[in-house]
Amino acid sequence: MSSNPLDPAFIARQKERLLELRRQLVSVGNAAGSDEQAWQASAGGEPQDEGDDGNRFAQQENDEAVLAHSEGRLDAIDRALEKIAEGTYGFSDESDEPIPRARLEAVPESILTVEESEIRERNARRGL
């Protein structure tokens, strides 16, 4: 791997952005958990109709998808923070190729190049 083309000030700003993103995602996850607990407590003894169940299941499915996405993003943020500590931020985990600065500015938790991310997504859709 070549020396890091990213200047220390940029990396420091990215670290702050990553820490703030992490705080936001954890806060949203905690709020979702509180909402679920409140719903379960309020629904304790109330009779419900089938419409309530259908709406509730749809909302729960959506909440679970959002939570799974947030957990994946938290993992990527944690890995990006590790890469900053290691001095490898800005290089792909797969190929050690530089990740363009514009990509890091758009998605600070990027640990793969655009091409590598697209390949992973295609393989995931195909179940590979």
Side-chain angles (χ1 to χ4, degrees):
M1 177 171 26
S2 60
S3 66
N4 199 327
L6 302 173
D7 59 276
F10 175 77
I11 293 173
R13 284 191 307 274
Q14 291 297 91
K15 181 177 181 180
E16 288 305 312
R17 287 182 67 202
L18 289 162
L19 291 170
E20 180 58 28
L21 282 170
R22 189 175 202 300
R23 279 189 286 274
Q24 290 173 2
L25 286 169
V26 168
S27 175
V28 168
N30 289 342
S34 296
D35 290 348
E36 177 67 19
Q37 289 174 346
W39 179 84
Q40 287 181 4
S42 70
E46 294 179 19
Q48 299 177 9
D49 64 30
E50 289 179 25
D52 289 342
D53 286 344
N55 291 337
R56 177 69 190 135
F57 288 136
Q59 182 62 48
Q60 186 172 5
E61 218 173 85
N62 185 55
D63 291 348
E64 288 172 2
V66 168
L67 182 59
H69 176 75
S70 293
E71 287 174 351
R73 194 152 183 222
L74 274 173
D75 289 344
I77 289 168
D78 288 342
R79 178 62 186 132
L81 289 167
E82 285 175 15
K83 290 177 75 66
I84 288 173
E86 296 168 353
T88 60
Y89 182 75
F91 292 94
S92 168
D93 266 358
E94 283 189 8
S95 65
D96 288 333
E97 291 293 319
I99 298 170
R101 184 179 179 123
R103 176 163 170 77
L104 294 170
E105 288 171 343
V107 186
E109 68 271 23
S110 295
I111 57 173
L112 301 172
T113 65
V114 171
E115 295 79 18
E116 292 164 346
S117 292
E118 289 172 350
I119 290 168
R120 271 197 183 178
E121 288 173 20
R122 273 195 307 272
N123 288 341
R125 283 194 299 268
R126 286 189 272 170
L128 300 177

